[in-house]
Amino acid sequence: MRFSVRKHLGLEITRKLQNDLIKEHPLKQLFWECTLRCNLHCRHCGSDCKHIATTPDMPKEDFFKVLDSVKQQFNPHKVFVILTGGEPLMRPDLEECGKGIYEREFPWGMVSNGLALTPERYRRLLNRGLRSMTISLDGLHDSHNWMRGNIHSFDNATRAIEMVVHSNEIVFDVVTCANKRNLNELPKLKEYLIGIGLKSWRIFTVFPMGRAAKDPMMHLDNDEFRQVFEFIKATKAEGKIDVNYGCEGFLGEYENEVRNHFFFCQAGATVGSVLCDGSISACPSIRANYHQGNIYEDDFLNVWNNKFLPYRDRSWMKKDDCADCKYFRYCRGNGMHLRDDEGKLLLCHMKRLGFKK
């Protein structure tokens, strides 16, 4: 495969900008895994969350200390805090968490399954500074409930989506996991989402971690995998909804065609996270152990400034399938969440799409 002159130029310019960003590593997004409890039991869960988690919720005051550390160097208005889990709405003190973040001048948002989002709670969260939200919807009624393991999930999630869409008070999108069951109903789901006024939609595919690793219905074959990207391209051409593939990996000929930007795994470059047990990491999708410290032993800001080498210098990834790949220059070894504890690449998007190295 050879890129067009325009795409090649875009990739080279993007690579230079990425190198500069890695060198400077300004913290722009900080995820807080505020709980590992969840009110659903989803087939594709990468973190294997449970209603009663073995790791207790992190006290909000402990995370506030992290924010106080970050403020010593970074403008809080330029660091977006994202609450994730588990299901953040499982925390009865979520409003107080939001209030503490907002009082420290950080904008904040959350990722939710929408099951427990009522109008009253949504209004309280807005009053505590909520500025963005992502809600998951994994197909039409039966497909979504099958995925989520709850007969009320679709109705509650769609009520939550309609409520947030029509409030026009926050940045909002819906995220969908493409799988064998819902793949052919994506066109109908698209029309449904457009019909309720959604403007922004993300589609992702499963990576082999957590429950998803052992569920064959979660894993698309190579033709189905390509079908996802062709659907996104066609939907983009229609211009009725802004749809993008997730940030999972380098996509070759699909680069800048199924996303509004070229691939760049920003884990550890601009994205950090504090996990439920205090571990300091990057994107919370990274389930392998690439932790760089722990807030109960280390200062977050010191760790951010002086560690994260495996994230920022990825030359160590140039082995195995990546050893002689001509796309490594742009791929940089794919997303960090696609590496296991030993550094082995679990999934290569280019290989799945049939591109030769």
Side-chain angles (χ1 to χ4, degrees), residues 230-243:
E230 290 298 325
F231 169 76
I232 294 174
K233 278 183 63 176
T235 302
K236 277 185 168 296
E238 293 172 354
K240 296 179 181 179
I241 188 171
D242 182 27
V243 59

Side-chain angles (χ1 to χ4, degrees), residues 234-355:
T235 302
K236 277 185 168 296
E238 293 172 354
K240 296 179 181 179
I241 188 171
D242 182 27
V243 59
N244 289 278
Y245 183 62
C247 60
E248 282 98 296
F250 184 72
L251 303 175
E253 69 180 33
Y254 290 109
E255 280 299 312
N256 207 35
E257 295 184 13
V258 296
R259 286 185 289 239
N260 295 338
H261 54 81
F262 288 103
F263 170 71
F264 178 32
C265 178
Q266 299 191 49
T270 66
V271 177
S273 71
V274 175
L275 304 184
C276 206
D277 64 356
S279 296
I280 298 171
S281 187
C283 168
S285 293
I286 300 168
R287 306 317 304 182
N289 186 359
Y290 289 97
H291 305 332
Q292 299 298 293
N294 192 291
I295 66 168
Y296 295 113
E297 301 173 0
D298 308 292
D299 175 68
F300 179 90
L301 187 59
N302 181 58
V303 171
W304 179 259
N305 286 331
N306 298 299
K307 291 191 177 182
F308 283 91
L309 183 61
Y311 294 88
R312 296 169 188 167
D313 179 1
R314 303 196 180 189
S315 57
W316 63 271
M317 293 182 175
K318 199 168 175 57
K319 60 182 181 179
D320 303 326
D321 286 345
C322 297
D324 58 350
C325 180
K326 63 184 178 183
Y327 304 114
F328 189 88
R329 179 178 182 83
Y330 309 119
C331 175
R332 302 174 191 263
N334 226 345
M336 194 73 170
H337 67 291
L338 297 173
R339 298 275 168 173
D340 65 13
D341 285 345
E342 284 71 48
K344 182 180 179 181
L345 182 64
L346 300 174
L347 187 155
C348 173
H349 289 67
M350 295 292 284
K351 181 182 289 187
R352 294 208 61 193
L353 290 168
F355 300 134

Side-chain angles (χ1 to χ4, degrees), residues 95-312:
E95 288 84 346
E96 294 307 306
C97 294
K99 179 183 177 183
I101 297 169
Y102 184 68
E103 287 177 343
R104 287 165 173 79
E105 302 182 74
F106 290 85
W108 71 277
M110 60 183 286
V111 180
S112 174
N113 59 41
L115 185 70
L117 187 65
T118 63
E120 295 78 14
R121 195 154 201 208
Y122 178 53
R123 181 55 52 186
R124 292 200 303 268
L125 292 169
L126 287 175
N127 291 337
R128 301 302 191 278
L130 179 69
R131 292 295 175 265
S132 83
M133 182 179 289
T134 294
I135 292 180
S136 299
L137 191 69
D138 296 306
L140 299 176
H141 185 277
D142 291 348
S143 294
H144 178 83
N145 288 346
W146 167 83
M147 173 77 94
R148 298 284 163 170
N150 186 300
I151 60 173
H152 304 294
S153 183
F154 179 84
D155 291 339
N156 287 23
T158 52
R159 275 197 294 267
I161 291 168
E162 290 178 359
M163 176 174 60
V164 179
V165 161
H166 294 139
S167 75
N168 292 317
E169 296 186 65
I170 62 175
V171 176
F172 176 64
D173 69 351
V174 166
V175 63
T176 297
C177 175
N179 58 75
K180 285 184 177 295
R181 174 153 178 164
N182 71 7
L183 182 60
N184 290 327
E185 69 181 33
L186 288 179
K188 290 183 178 179
L189 181 60
K190 173 193 67 176
E191 295 302 326
Y192 177 79
L193 293 172
I194 292 172
I196 62 177
L198 185 70
K199 303 298 183 185
S200 184
W201 185 26
R202 274 184 294 143
I203 297 175
F204 71 98
T205 48
V206 158
F207 56 97
M209 286 284 191
R211 294 179 201 140
K214 299 179 181 179
D215 191 334
M217 289 297 290
M218 293 296 102
H219 300 281
L220 303 176
D221 64 34
N222 290 352
D223 289 337
E224 293 167 333
F225 196 60
R226 183 177 283 271
Q227 185 179 332
V228 172
F229 303 118
E230 290 298 325
F231 169 76
I232 294 174
K233 278 183 63 176
T235 302
K236 277 185 168 296
E238 293 172 354
K240 296 179 181 179
I241 188 171
D242 182 27
V243 59
N244 289 278
Y245 183 62
C247 60
E248 282 98 296
F250 184 72
L251 303 175
E253 69 180 33
Y254 290 109
E255 280 299 312
N256 207 35
E257 295 184 13
V258 296
R259 286 185 289 239
N260 295 338
H261 54 81
F262 288 103
F263 170 71
F264 178 32
C265 178
Q266 299 191 49
T270 66
V271 177
S273 71
V274 175
L275 304 184
C276 206
D277 64 356
S279 296
I280 298 171
S281 187
C283 168
S285 293
I286 300 168
R287 306 317 304 182
N289 186 359
Y290 289 97
H291 305 332
Q292 299 298 293
N294 192 291
I295 66 168
Y296 295 113
E297 301 173 0
D298 308 292
D299 175 68
F300 179 90
L301 187 59
N302 181 58
V303 171
W304 179 259
N305 286 331
N306 298 299
K307 291 191 177 182
F308 283 91
L309 183 61
Y311 294 88
R312 296 169 188 167

